Amino acid sequence: GSVRTKTAELKVEREAASAGITVEQAWSARVSRYRAGRLVTAEEVAEAILFLASEAASGVNGIGLLVALQGHV
């Protein structure tokens, strides 16, 4: 899914310019694809990484952790 990062900001700016819409309209279009009505934040991804690096995750082994908001509508 989409995470609103500096790289994503640049990509959405290009998409908006290509489509002839505002950057905010382009972000709104992305957000509308998610049931939660928002994007995952970089902070949420960082929190997941911190958890996996912590003692609390010592029993977690060999698993992929998906940080997402219920996928696309």
Side-chain angles (χ1 to χ4, degrees):
S2 292
V3 177
R4 197 163 183 166
T5 62
K6 290 182 183 196
T7 301
E9 292 279 353
L10 295 172
K11 184 175 180 182
V12 170
E13 286 175 16
R14 287 192 303 272
E15 290 173 2
S18 176
I21 60 176
T22 68
V23 172
E24 210 42 55
Q25 287 171 320
W27 276 115
S28 292
R30 280 188 180 216
V31 167
S32 72
R33 296 183 222 151
Y34 294 90
R35 291 183 188 111
R38 67 179 188 85
L39 301 176
V40 170
T41 66
E43 290 78 16
E44 289 170 316
V45 174
E47 287 173 8
I49 292 167
L50 287 172
F51 166 72
L52 290 173
S54 75
E55 185 63 28
S58 63
V60 177
N61 172 339
I63 188 167
L65 180 64
L66 177 63
V67 180
L69 294 170
Q70 303 175 357
H72 294 274
V73 178

